[in-house]
């Protein structure tokens, strides 16, 4: 369930940031590409944070 929520919010924030960034740089807006990249980055980040912040014994 956590992964689905992460993907959902990554798609929303990725699309907004991608649209704004595309308009600022005058680049074409490709929603599918932006959504896939945002979802993959969010999944990698959300799964790596617990590994990085694990306290040493």
């Amino acid at each position: 369930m956590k992964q689905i929520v992460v993907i959902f919010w990554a798609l929303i924030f990725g699309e907004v940031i991608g649209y704004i960034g595309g308009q600022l740089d005058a680049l074409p807006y490709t929603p599918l590409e932006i959504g896939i990249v945002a979802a993959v980055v969010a999944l990698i980040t959300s799964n790596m944070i617990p590994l990085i912040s694990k306290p040493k014994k």
Side-chain angles (χ1 to χ4, degrees):
M1 185 67 179
K2 173 185 161 188
Q3 306 300 331
I4 295 171
V5 173
V6 168
I7 292 172
F8 175 75
W9 284 108
L11 288 174
I12 291 174
F13 287 134
E15 294 297 328
V16 170
I17 292 169
Y19 178 77
I20 293 170
Q23 293 299 314
L24 289 173
D25 287 340
L27 297 173
Y29 174 66
T30 52
L32 181 63
E33 187 176 318
I34 292 170
I36 291 172
V37 170
V40 169
V41 169
L43 285 173
I44 290 172
T45 304
S46 68
N47 288 320
M48 292 302 289
I49 288 175
L51 295 175
I52 293 171
S53 62
K54 187 182 267 187
K56 292 190 177 190
K57 294 180 181 180

